[in-house]
Amino acid sequence: MFQRLFSTIILLLILCAFPTMQAYCGHDGPKQDKPGILVVAFGTTMPTAEKALQHIEGVIKKTFPNVPVRMAYSSKIVRAKIAREQHRNIASPAEALAQMKDENFTHVAVQSLHSIPGEEYHNLLKTAYAFPTMGKSMQQVVMGMPLMATSTDLEKVADAIMACLPADRKPNEAIVLMGHGTHHPADVYYAALQYHLAKRDPNIFVGTVEGFPTLDDVIEKLKKNGLTKAWLMPLMSVAGDHANNDMAGDEPDSWKSILDKNGITSVPVLTGLADYDQLVAIWVDHLKTAYSQLNIKSH
Ligand code: CO
């Protein structure tokens, strides 16, 4: 009796040893690691700006031809506005990860398209790291760094910006980059980038909408350098609402209007950082690093 039971157990163990026989053991079938990539941008409601995000998504797909790539927007306001006005649903990072968990993705590299490790980035980090704690199916989630994370990144970003300056810009004309700025401690990155840019070109300035340096700080430097013309460029992944309105708009409080009042003519360049291959390459490098940290078993 016991001997028969014992031999049945042995037989079951042997059957389980063959992957094709796993159905007998009540498994869902052979378990195979399924890696994926989730790209997370702040998001934009402007279709013209969305092109920059599609551009970087395309580069990522080309870099990882065998890995499914998903996209999510971290801004709730942007997602709600798109749903209301364009009748499209864009996933939040949590929704995208839940969907991937549902589709049995086991390892996910999340790449942030934010420019600094500020509030948006840290919220994303919390969401991403929560997933492997919810059951075993999604084993590992790693996060790629935003555009500017290390001093080396700042050097690379400064070099990339130098390579993307408008062709018609003359050395005695300023370049003014509009960063978002934040109350978060990561606001320091804008001043740090200014330091690296100043080493490369004395007439390039970084200002922010909500942080430091301010536009007043920039105007002070423009005047000190005797500059009367400035090229305005967004220091954001897309040339969206801030670039089109706060930077280049006709309202009296836009950067263009304020510079004009200060005797400085400006030429807005409505191109996001994610439109330039040199800058996209930095985000993609960060994703490569993150992806390489996934412990994917090869079959
Ligand atoms: Co904003």
Side-chain angles (χ1 to χ4, degrees):
M1 173 64 189
F2 281 114
Q3 210 168 8
R4 192 179 294 169
L5 185 64
F6 186 70
S7 51
T8 308
I9 289 168
I10 293 290
L11 181 65
L12 277 171
L13 285 174
I14 292 167
L15 285 173
C16 291
F18 293 95
T20 49
M21 301 275 183
Q22 278 186 352
Y24 289 108
C25 310
H27 295 165
D28 293 341
K31 288 269 188 274
Q32 195 171 327
D33 285 346
K34 185 178 174 184
I37 288 170
L38 175 63
V39 183
V40 180
F42 176 80
T44 176
T45 56
M46 304 187 76
T48 47
E50 215 174 344
K51 275 194 205 122
L53 299 180
Q54 286 155 358
H55 173 237
I56 195 163
E57 193 183 3
V59 175
I60 289 169
K61 282 179 175 169
K62 233 179 262 171
T63 312
F64 297 88
N66 302 315
V67 186
V69 177
R70 303 287 164 83
M71 175 76 96
Y73 285 2
S74 61
S75 167
K76 198 172 186 170
I77 297 170
V78 168
R79 290 195 312 269
K81 202 170 175 212
I82 291 175
R84 207 168 52 236
E85 293 173 3
Q86 301 172 29
H87 311 289
R88 287 188 297 143
N89 271 318
I90 308 264
S92 70
E95 283 166 349
L97 284 166
Q99 178 69 36
M100 291 176 93
K101 186 174 156 66
D102 215 46
E103 291 174 43
N104 301 317
F105 280 88
T106 56
H107 297 74
V108 180
V110 179
Q111 180 56 47
S112 142
L113 295 190
H114 301 111
S115 34
I116 56 163
E119 191 177 343
E120 295 274 330
Y121 179 83
H122 282 91
N123 286 341
L124 180 58
L125 205 62
K126 277 184 232 161
T127 304
Y129 286 171
F131 271 80
T133 66
M134 300 180 218
K136 289 181 198 152
S137 57
M138 196 177 267
Q139 297 165 33
Q140 195 189 5
V141 177
V142 294
M143 276 275 285
M145 294 288 189
L147 184 68
M148 297 183 267
T150 64
S151 289
T152 311
D153 292 336
L154 288 168
E155 300 251 13
K156 285 183 188 168
V157 169
D159 285 338
I161 288 171
M162 293 305 297
C164 299
L165 298 182
D168 295 339
R169 180 250 177 172
K170 295 179 187 75
N172 64 345
E173 294 167 357
I175 298 283
V176 175
L177 295 157
M178 179 197 249
H180 195 282
T182 173
H183 57 87
H184 190 276
D187 195 44
V188 295
Y189 280 89
Y190 298 104
L193 178 65
Q194 170 68 74
Y195 169 87
H196 289 283
L197 286 168
K199 286 208 308 197
R200 289 156 176 79
D201 186 320
N203 289 336
I204 302 191
F205 305 100
V206 178
T208 63
V209 189
E210 293 174 17
F212 178 84
T214 63
L215 179 58
D216 284 344
D217 295 322
V218 173
I219 290 171
E220 199 184 304
K221 286 180 187 158
L222 294 176
K223 287 182 173 169
K224 200 174 148 204
N225 286 14
L227 302 164
T228 53
K229 184 177 173 182
W231 297 75
L232 304 179
M233 297 172 74
L235 183 69
M236 303 180 192
S237 58
V238 300
D241 192 53
H242 283 302
N244 282 274
N245 299 313
D246 301 329
M247 187 184 88
D250 292 324
E251 298 291 315
D253 57 350
S254 78
W255 284 27
K256 193 181 83 173
S257 303
I258 295 171
L259 286 172
D260 199 52
K261 262 179 258 159
N262 283 276
I264 298 150
T265 320
S266 57
V267 189
V269 181
L270 292 170
T271 312
L273 299 181
D275 277 309
Y276 297 108
D277 285 328
Q278 291 89 334
L279 285 141
V280 164
I282 300 168
W283 270 299
V284 173
D285 271 348
H286 289 176
L287 173 57
K288 281 185 194 163
T289 304
Y291 193 85
S292 71
Q293 288 161 1
L294 293 175
N295 303 313
I296 307 160
K297 284 180 235 87
S298 49
H299 292 262

